[in-house]
């Protein structure tokens, strides 16, 4: 397929959705959010990603609706361009090249052919607000170099700029002052608060600003949690302000509702506060939003709000302060202790999520699947409080078991340690706590591994700890007189000369267990738990340990802290080879012999892929990241690629993902970014004319089908007719007054049974007289000519559904007519 | 400056009474303040907020309303049902008129200043005509069901708004009938309270009525239709007071939580004429209920149960950042409540209804500068003298020898003789006081305790010779013909030859006691005198004024001294002039004739006339000269003003002997501890 292209490091989703304020479409159906180099379009009703607008070559820093055409969206990026999109179809309309790093974007209805951007010309910390004239031209890419300067020395964040009174003035805050620039008068007023010199006002710093949509009123948020409402600011002397104070910590963002009757504020308390009529006593709360509110935005229609949170999620909130949808990305709030894992069942990436949670993140869909609450305690957000940390996790037995370790250390001598074992419950499709072990070890647990060999019916878990022991835990029968149950108990405790156990690892077949004790690697027989042999290279403490796979299963690899990578032959019990490599991450590919090692040097991180059998690496990529790479993992591909080039063959069966210190999830890809993420959910694009009822999905699909038919078969005259009249049964159903309809459960069973029937008929092909049916078959035939892919499977299904629908119409019509004629007068007698 | 042994007295258990009403007079820029004990004080805002005059309280006269009428006339009304007019010249009550409506809760003067309206307990609103020398009952308005707690005139004088319990009535003045009755929501934070008391109303010229009530609301009503226009819930407790500025572009309300809220009329957008009332700044200068607020053109004035009078300037109305732009908090009266007997180390404390006599403790220990010496003998509470009758004490004095105590109420003068026999003390009242000695504004004993000087409220000065157990009236200086101004401050020279007396505004008169005639009059100065004293030997009269100026006037030469001329020429240090409180006491060191000792509430100062005067560049407050520096530098940086700020709030400081000082402090925390507990508010993080 694509062999010629070279392997590149690409950002693969998991980008910050909370980097900038989300933007609603004019009809509140879509919500736009920046996501790395892309702009994502989500449906507010279903939370699904409808489109990904791709085209920027660097971080997207601002999005705004085109005020003159609410079906278009402007975006700006660090790559120095402003792009105009048609978000309904996901098409890039125009690119305006400004040529400067753009930090934020603002649009105004009054300024038709210009937008406002924040740029940074000279000094690194001094930003300017400039207006950019967008020239009218038919070409796709237009130079827009006509900048006019508005405000200097402003804050980089777009939260610190707000336009008020339909663009009469712009307010900007920075440090301890608020400046207001009046476009008509071309004057700037500046209001300064007493600063840190005065101890009482030490936290007076401005953090954000918002302008009232109707009145001359500016709301500013402050570091000490106060909100100030400024009025009369066109007069340098008579200006006045009011204070609203509820937040105890910094106000992160402010937004006025569309009519200006209420002000929304949020901060670290994770509570959305609605101040009605801007009075201190009249406020409403939406608490327990999970994480710090970073941004608040309001839909232009006024029916929805949304909050962006520090744990990379966007919550869509109704006007009556009810959360209605959550768009959750990869949580990046906490330190990653667990490393990257792959859930064998869902193929989701598993890592630390919210405090105390394990998140399951789908790499394909770039969204969080779910959160597993491990610690199961209320998280108290307070600086200086020592929290329970989820430090280790491991999957075992094909995802049937999950082991987690949590710890809390207040003082040197007071370690609280807990190991939990979770069993996958097929019924609830989730993990259920099975065994809780308090203080499984005396000291920190350094490693945790399951024996994943098939021959082991009895699940086995090994933990190694700094207390010098490793413990083997096995699943035993824990039944009592009431019910059958299983639980985990300690089976064996091993140690080696009181050294700290630093790592443990099972061989692929599960017959051997390798445990490293500081500098020494010990090999244990997993049947009898006796020490087989030891390796000692005196090259520093072992940091990583892993067995080779498949054909290389006779090798054991160890990476030490002194920057030596050793490979031992288990048959000869001798060192096969060693190399000088400061290994940070060492991950074996579960589907091949390959092992990926990432080394850290002063310039950056380098990737080495090698087979244990030979010391020469298969593939080297220098400088994959400037930052330190913290974790990596191989994720098996669903469909294997077929790179013929030898250098890329290691990517055939698995994909390697790695996480840097700043928690950017990166991977290697050969595809161009345009084709890498194809919008899979184009079909979900909601039709403008139809309400999203259950019927809509039936009808909507039907219409798509009809549209397809227009292209294919012109003879179909039914197309011109309104849809509902197409299917008498449905029109009957819809037009019959609700009070004379039988109960929904009754109708439903009829529907479903008819559906089942028609399938039978279809398979047996007993009703050949149906014209639609034939058409369906036609398309069916044509489909079969193509390659068998999933997508066609999909259309096939829709065909089927449509057929059933028509089938239903005939039989159900009579049924419904019957119901209509039924005399319900007897009800009155009751 | 020299080292002193200081008696640091903190047992003066004085608690000022809470402020009940304030009334601001725009024409004279004066503020009348009434306290819960019935005292009425007049502050001159033009003269650095000096408390010029005061009318002593009366137990039965709880003032509920206070207002100024045309021609600088001050009226008050209270729960005894009387309307009182005060004589601002003679400092006494002119007359009292019973309104015959039960206790009076509210009073308002018509915009033209000729009519007086009172709201009574029985629900009646009574209109009085103000005649040049009295008030005349005119008529009753429609009687309401419950007491009238607040009243406000429409600026045109055609309508009034009256706040009652649960409703506000609007009356037409012509007919005296209620035009509208506006019912107020009783809801209080979602809970229905039993009653909603309208504590204050304000009628604006556009017909808006603003009401404040016990449910914490500030409401705007349209008086034409009788409908509620806007509602601001601002407090969890009562909103007790409201005052509107003359321009009607801002008003101020005070709440029971101690917060004062400022509301301003601001335009909705810069290019529209539509305006709206917006709550702007809250001020938390009080700990207790803010019972009264006033709105001067440049400041918000508030007072309440916590006894502070707070004057907060509006920064946008202040042209230059000067003395007037600072927040003022007035807690203590600007007069002396303490007198001292130097010979016997006694202190006489004056309270509203009693006097306390204390003997200072003593010590035999010695120590370094700054040491606290242990007491070998504790301070003794010798005497507790209760007044007879409901009237408050106006003034009191103990003679320097300690054997005489004199005090006066509004209607009676008392003189006591004290006898000391070892540790026992006996008190004997000197009976048969002459009829002219009824009420005194100031009492002073001569240095040798043989003469008593009394300034009566008719403007005359009486001199009485004291004998063992009896007295003899020597002379009365009658006031200058034509004036009835009372003398408030007296000073006598230590040799007993000269007596200086000062009134509230006119100059200081100096009398020769030997010849019993007026010696001279110090030229009048614009600002009132706050303290007077005559220096020993030189007989120089030192006068402190409320604008912080200090003059020295040589009585024998009948002219200002050279030093006084020098300091007037050079001017005082700007920090000296920006001090907050007036000088209330001046004394002299017997051995160091160049020293003048004076103090205000926040500092104690010794002026050394031999040293150069400070200019604006020198440091005025140099706490303690650094000991490590050489004498040359110390001499160079030394200037005439030696200021100590160790003791504050300082109510009294005097020299007992050459090396001993007595300082009476009254820490504010001790006062707050004696007040009723404030409304409990949940404070975040506690």
């Amino acid at each position: 397929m694509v062999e010629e292209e070279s392997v590149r490091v690409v950002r693969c989703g998991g980008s910050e959705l909370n980097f900038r304020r989300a933007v609603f479409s004019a009809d509140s159906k879509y919500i736009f959010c920046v996501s790395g180099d892309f702009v994502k379009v989500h449906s507010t009703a279903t939370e699904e990603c409808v489109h990904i607008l791709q085209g920027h070559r660097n971080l997207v820093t601002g999005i705004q609706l085109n005020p003159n055409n609410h079906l278009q969206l402007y975006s700006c990026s660090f790559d120095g361009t402003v792009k105009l999109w048609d978000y309904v179809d996901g098409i890039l309309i125009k690119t305006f090249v400004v040529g400067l790093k753009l930090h934020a974007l603002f649009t105004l209805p009054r300024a038709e052919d210009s937008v406002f951007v924040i740029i940074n010309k000279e000094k690194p910390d001094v930003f300017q607000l400039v207006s950019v004239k967008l020239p009218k031209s038919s070409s796709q890419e237009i130079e827009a170099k006509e900048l006019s300067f508005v405000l200097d020395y402003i804050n980089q964040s777009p939260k610190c700029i707000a336009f008020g009174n339909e663009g009469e003035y712009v307010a900007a805050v920075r440090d301890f002052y608020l400046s207001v620039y009046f476009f008509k008068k071309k004057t700037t007023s500046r209001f300064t608060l007493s600063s840190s010199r005065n101890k009482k006002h030490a936290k007076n710093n401005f953090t954000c600003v918002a302008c009232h949509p109707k009145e001359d009123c500016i709301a500013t948020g402050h570091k000490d949690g106060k909100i100030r409402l400024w009025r009369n600011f066109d007069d340098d002397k008579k200006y006045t302000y009011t204070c609203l104070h509820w937040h105890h910590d910094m106000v992160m963002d402010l937004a006025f509702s569309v009519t200006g009757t209420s002000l929304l504020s949020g901060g670290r308390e994770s509570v959305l506060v609605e101040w009605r009529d801007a009075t201190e006593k009249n406020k409403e709360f939406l608490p327990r939003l999970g994480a710090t509110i970073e941004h608040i935005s309001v839909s232009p229609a006024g029916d929805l709000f949304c909050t962006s949170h520090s744990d990379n999620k966007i919550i869509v909130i109704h006007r009556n302060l009810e959360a209605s949808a959550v768009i959750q990305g990869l949580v990046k709030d906490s330190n990653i202790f667990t490393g990257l894992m792959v859930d064998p069942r869902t193929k989701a990436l598993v890592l630390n999520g919210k405090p105390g949670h394990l998140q399951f993140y789908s790499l394909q869909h770039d969204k969080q699947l779910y959160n597993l609450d491990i610690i199961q305690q209320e998280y108290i957000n307070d600086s200086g409080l020592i929290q329970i940390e989820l430090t280790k996790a491991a999957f075992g037995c094909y995802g049937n078991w999950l082991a987690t370790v949590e710890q809390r250390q207040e003082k040197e001598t007071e370690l609280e340690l807990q190991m939990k074992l979770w069993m996958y419950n097929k019924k609830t499709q989730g993990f259920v706590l099975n065994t809780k072990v308090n203080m499984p070890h005396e000291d920190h647990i350094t490693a945790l591994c399951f024996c994943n060999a098939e021959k082991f019916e009895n699940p086995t878990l090994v933990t190694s700890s700094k207390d010098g022991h490793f413990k083997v835990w096995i699943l035993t029968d824990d039944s009592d007189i009431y019910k059958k149950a299983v639980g985990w108990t300690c089976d064996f405790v091993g140690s080696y000369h009181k050294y700290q156990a630093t790592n443990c690892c099972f061989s692929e077949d599960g017959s051997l267990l390798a445990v490293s004790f500081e500098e020494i690697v010990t090999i244990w027989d997993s049947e009898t738990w006796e020490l087989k042999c030891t390796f000692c290279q005196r090259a520093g403490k072992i940091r990583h340990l892993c067995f080779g796979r498949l054909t290389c299963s006779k090798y054991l690899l160890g990476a030490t802290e002194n920057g030596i990578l050793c490979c031992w032959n288990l048959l000869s019990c001798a060192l096969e080879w060693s190399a000088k490599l400061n290994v940070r991450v060492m991950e074996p590919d579960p589907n091949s012999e390959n092992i990926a090692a990432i080394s850290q040097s002063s310039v950056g991180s380098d990737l080495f892929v090698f087979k244990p059998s030979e010391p020469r690496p298969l593939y080297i990529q220098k400088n994959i990241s400037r930052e330190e790479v913290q974790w990596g993992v191989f994720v098996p591909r669903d469909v294997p690629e077929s790179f013929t080039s030898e250098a890329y063959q290691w990517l055939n069966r698995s994909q390697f993902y790695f996480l840097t210190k700043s928690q950017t999830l990166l991977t290697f890809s050969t595809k161009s970014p345009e084709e890498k993420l194809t919008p899979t959910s184009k079909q979900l694009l909601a039709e403008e004319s139809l309400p999203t009822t259950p019927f809509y999905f039936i009808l909507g699909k039907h219409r798509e089908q009809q549209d397809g038919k227009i292209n294919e078969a012109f003879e179909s005259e039914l197309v011109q007719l309104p849809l509902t009249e197409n299917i008498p049964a449905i029109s009957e159903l819809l037009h019959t007054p609700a009070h004379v309809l039988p109960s929904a459960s009754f109708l439903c069973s009829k529907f479903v049974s008819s559906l089942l029937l028609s399938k039978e008929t279809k398979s047996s092909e007993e009703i050949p007289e149906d014209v639609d049916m034939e058409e369906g078959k036609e398309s069916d035939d044509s489909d079969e000519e193509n390659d068998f892919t999933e997508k066609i499977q999909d259309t096939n299904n829709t065909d089927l559904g449509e057929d059933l629908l028509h089938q239903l119409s005939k039989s159900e019509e009579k049924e419904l007519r019957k119901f209509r004629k039924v005399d319900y007068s007897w009800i009155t007698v009751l | 400056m020299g080292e002193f042994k200081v008696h640091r007295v903190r047992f003066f258990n004085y608690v000022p009474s809470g402020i009940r009403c304030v009334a601001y007079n725009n024409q004279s820029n004066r503020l009348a303040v009434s306290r819960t004990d019935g005292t009425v004080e007049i502050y001159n805002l033009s003269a650095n907020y000096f408390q010029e005059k005061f009318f002593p309280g009366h137990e039965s006269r709880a003032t509920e309303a206070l207002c100024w009428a045309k021609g600088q006339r001050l009226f008050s009304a209270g729960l005894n049902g009387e309307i009182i007019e005060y004589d601002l010249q003679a400092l006494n009550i002119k007359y009292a008129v019973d309104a015959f409506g039960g206790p009076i809760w509210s009073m308002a003067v018509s915009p033209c200043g000729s009519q007086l309206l009172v709201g009574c307990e029985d629900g009646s609103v009574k209109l009085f005509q103000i005649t040049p020398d009295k008030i005349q009952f005119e008529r009753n308005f429609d009687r309401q069901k419950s007491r009238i707690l607040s009243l406000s005139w429409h600026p045109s004088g055609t309508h009034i708004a009256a706040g009652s319990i649960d409703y506000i009535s609007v009356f037409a003045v012509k007919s005296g009938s209620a035009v509208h009755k506006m019912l107020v929501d009783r809801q209080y934070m979602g809970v229905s309270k039993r009653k909603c008391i309208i504590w204050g109303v304000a009628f604006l010229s556009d017909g808006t009525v603003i009401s404040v009530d016990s449910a914490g609301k500030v409401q705007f009503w349209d008086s034409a239709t009788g409908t509620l226009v806007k509602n601001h819930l601002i407090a969890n407790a009562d909103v007790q007071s409201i005052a509107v500025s003359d321009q009607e572009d801002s008003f101020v309300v005070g709440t029971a939580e101690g917060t004062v809220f400022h509301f301003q009329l601001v335009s909705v957008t810069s290019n529209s004429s539509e305006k709206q009332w917006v709550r702007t700044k809250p001020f938390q200068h009080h700990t207790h209920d803010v019972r009264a607020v006033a709105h001067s053109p440049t400041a918000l004035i508030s007072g309440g149960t916590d006894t502070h009078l707070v004057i907060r300037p509006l920064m946008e109305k202040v042209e230059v950042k000067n003395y007037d732009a600072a927040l003022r908090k007035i807690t203590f009266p600007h007069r002396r409540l303490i007198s001292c007997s130097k010979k016997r180390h006694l202190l006489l404390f004056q309270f509203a209804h009693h006097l306390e006599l204390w003997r200072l403790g003593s010590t035999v220990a010695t120590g370094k500068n700054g040491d606290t010496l242990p007491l070998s003998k504790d301070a003794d509470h010798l005497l507790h003298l209760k007044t007879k009758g409901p009237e408050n004490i106006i003034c009191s004095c103990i003679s320097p020898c300690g054997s005489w105590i004199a005090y006066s109420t509004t209607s009676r003068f008392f003189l006591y003789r004290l006898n000391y026999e070892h540790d026992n003390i006996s008190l004997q009242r000197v009976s048969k006081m002459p009829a002219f000695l009824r009420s005194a504004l100031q009492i002073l004993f001569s240095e040798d305790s043989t003469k008593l000087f009394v300034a009566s409220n008719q403007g005359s000065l009486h001199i009485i010779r004291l004998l063992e157990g009896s007295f003899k009236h020597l002379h009365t200086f009658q006031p200058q013909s034509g004036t009835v101004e009372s003398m408030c401050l007296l000073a006598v020279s230590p040799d007993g030859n000269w007596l200086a007396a000062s009134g509230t505004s006119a100059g200081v008169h100096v009398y020769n006691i030997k010849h019993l005639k007026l010696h001279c009059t110090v030229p009048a100065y614009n600002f009132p005198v706050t303290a007077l004293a005559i220096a020993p030997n030189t007989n120089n009269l030192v006068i402190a004024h409320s604008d912080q100026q200090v003059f020295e006037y040589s009585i024998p030469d009948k002219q200002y001294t050279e030093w006084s001329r020098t300091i007037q020429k050079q001017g005082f240090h700007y920090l000296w002039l920006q001090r907050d409180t007036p000088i209330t006491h001046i004394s002299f060191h017997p051995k160091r004739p160049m020293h003048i000792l004076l103090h205000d509430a926040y500092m104690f100062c010794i002026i050394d006339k031999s040293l150069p005067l400070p200019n604006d560049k020198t440091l005025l407050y140099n706490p303690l000269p650094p000991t490590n520096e050489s004498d040359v530098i110390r001499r160079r940086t030394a200037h005439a003003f030696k200021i100590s700020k160790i003791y504050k709030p300082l109510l009294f400081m005097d020299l007992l002997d050459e090396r001993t000082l007595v300082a009476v402090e009254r820490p504010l925390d001790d006062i707050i501890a004696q007040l009723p507990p404030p409304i409990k508010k949940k404070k975040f993080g506690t």
Side-chain angles (χ1 to χ4, degrees), chain A residues 718-739:
Chain A
L718 289 166
V719 186
Q720 277 91 8
L721 294 169
L723 257 166
T724 43
E725 287 177 27
N726 235 342
I727 309 138
I730 287 175
S731 64
E732 198 75 35
L733 199 67
L734 291 175
H735 292 149
T736 312
H739 64 276

Side-chain angles (χ1 to χ4, degrees), chain B residues 32-63:
Chain B
V33 173
S34 82
R35 294 185 182 263
T36 43
D37 65 350
T39 312
V40 173
E41 293 161 356
I42 312 280
Y43 291 85
N44 188 348
L45 301 194
S46 309
N48 286 356
Y49 310 93
F50 181 63
Q51 182 191 322
E52 284 185 323
K53 299 165 190 178
F54 87 102
F55 302 93
H58 192 278
E59 262 178 1
S60 69
R61 243 180 19 224
T63 324

Side-chain angles (χ1 to χ4, degrees), chain B residues 565-630:
Chain B
R565 286 171 202 277
T566 318
I567 199 159
Q568 285 305 315
K569 213 176 281 168
Q570 196 184 327
F572 282 86
H573 195 275
Y574 71 101
L575 285 175
W576 176 268
L577 296 176
Q578 283 180 7
R579 282 180 309 112
D580 217 19
T581 48
I583 291 164
T584 48
H585 187 61
I586 301 169
S587 55
F588 302 94
H589 196 285
K591 291 284 155 65
R592 296 180 195 150
M594 297 307 279
H595 286 189
I596 305 169
L597 287 73
L598 30 81
H599 78 87
D600 67 9
Y602 295 102
M603 63 107 213
F604 165 65
C605 175
I606 298 176
I607 299 177
D608 189 342
K609 290 187 280 182
S610 60
L611 285 174
L613 294 169
N615 57 18
D616 278 3
K617 287 188 194 78
T618 50
L619 207 65
L620 181 68
Y621 303 115
N622 43 348
L624 281 171
T627 43
N628 52 354
E629 302 225 26
S630 67

